[in-house]
Amino acid sequence: GAGVSQTPSNKVTEKGKYVELRCDPISGHTALYWYRQSLGQGPEFLIYFQGTGAADDSGLPNDRFFAVRPEGSVSTLKIQRTERGDSAVYLCASSSQGTNTEAFFGQGTRLTVV
Amino acid sequence: AQSVTQPDIHITVSEGASLELRCNYSYGATPYLFWYVQSPGQGLQLLLKYFSGDTLVQGIKGFEAEFKRSQSSFNLRKPSVHWSDAAEYFCAVGAEQAGTALIFGKGTTLSVSS
């Protein structure tokens, strides 16, 4: 596609439920990043994929968070047993070479846990 | 510790006036520096980046930034602000190494008055 696509754009879920957030990177981009942006904060790194593998997952806050990229393209961020503190905008970015020459960001998924 | 500080949470500038947004960083390696802009409901758009060479870099939409190693700063400037520049601006630092996550500041909200 023309840009990074994230679905859904908004998600409201009840505390304790499971959610999946999807990211479609720019075609051909091998590197994919997930960030989380809380209200009044800048984006914070969660996980980085190079191809199919998670090369760096040091930003995942706890074991309720998990992400996959089985075919090296689309990625899914999965959150189990959601908590109100998980409410944030989840941003996905992709880049062509896995370096920081330029990462292109999607519009984000706004997750609200009630 | 690696960090990015944007001292100004909110700035209001008159349309046509000049703008400077401040950014200071702390980073252990040679920094790659970025400025992003985020409009409401939109993803992050790269304004400009600095890797090496000329310390004054030009970006899109008439923005420029100057890297000052001695001050650990990378301030963003624009000579004449337009109403459409109202948005949130994020400074970020990263490294050349593939997959290195960007560290973002908390952002500066720019309002433009007529």
Side-chain angles (χ1 to χ4, degrees):
Chain A
V4 178
S5 176
Q6 293 187 246
T7 54
S9 55
N10 281 282
K11 175 72 176 178
V12 180
T13 190
E14 292 181 347
K15 178 176 178 295
K17 298 290 188 182
Y18 167 84
V19 295
E20 291 188 352
L21 312 179
R22 176 187 169 105
C23 172
D24 268 285
I26 293 172
S27 178
H29 279 190
T30 58
L32 185 146
Y33 305 78
W34 283 99
Y35 288 82
R36 178 169 71 174
Q37 186 176 17
S38 301
L39 193 63
Q41 303 293 317
E44 294 179 320
F45 169 74
L46 295 176
I47 187 169
Y48 157 65
F49 286 90
Q50 181 61 255
T52 60
D56 182 357
D57 64 357
S58 61
L60 295 177
N62 51 59
D63 62 5
R64 295 187 297 106
F65 288 74
F66 188 71
V68 296
R69 195 185 185 199
E71 297 179 357
S73 177
V74 171
S75 176
T76 305
L77 179 65
K78 308 180 180 190
I79 310 174
Q80 299 176 323
R81 305 183 304 279
T82 52
E83 299 177 357
R84 292 195 178 88
D86 299 334
S87 296
V89 176
Y90 289 81
L91 295 168
C92 177
S94 69
S95 66
S96 60
Q97 296 295 332
T99 67
N100 284 318
T101 50
E102 181 169 359
F104 294 85
F105 282 82
Q107 294 186 355
T109 294
R110 181 175 298 278
L111 174 67
T112 304
V113 182
V114 297
Chain B
Q2 301 175 129
S3 65
V4 175
T5 301
Q6 294 180 247
D8 304 305
I9 297 173
H10 190 189
I11 284 182
T12 300
V13 175
S14 299
E15 189 168 17
S18 64
L19 169 71
E20 182 169 27
L21 301 182
R22 296 181 291 166
C23 172
N24 292 95
Y25 67 90
S26 173
Y27 201 69
T30 301
Y32 280 29
L33 294 155
F34 306 80
W35 275 100
Y36 286 86
V37 61
Q38 186 177 41
S39 298
Q42 302 297 311
L44 292 161
Q45 182 183 20
L46 181 67
L47 286 175
L48 48 77
K49 60 195 177 194
Y50 172 77
F51 293 158
S52 63
D54 192 345
T55 56
L56 184 64
V57 294
Q58 303 297 320
I60 63 171
K61 304 184 180 184
F63 285 92
E64 66 178 27
E66 185 172 12
F67 171 60
K68 292 186 178 180
R69 185 183 300 277
S70 62
Q71 298 177 20
S72 297
S73 70
F74 188 57
N75 294 349
L76 181 71
R77 300 195 293 250
K78 186 169 184 177
S80 177
V81 168
H82 188 262
W83 65 266
S84 61
D85 293 324
E88 190 153 21
Y89 292 79
F90 292 95
C91 180
V93 65
E96 180 184 15
Q97 181 181 354
T100 306
L102 294 179
I103 299 170
F104 286 84
K106 293 187 176 182
T108 297
T109 301
L110 173 65
S111 297
V112 180
S113 62
S114 57

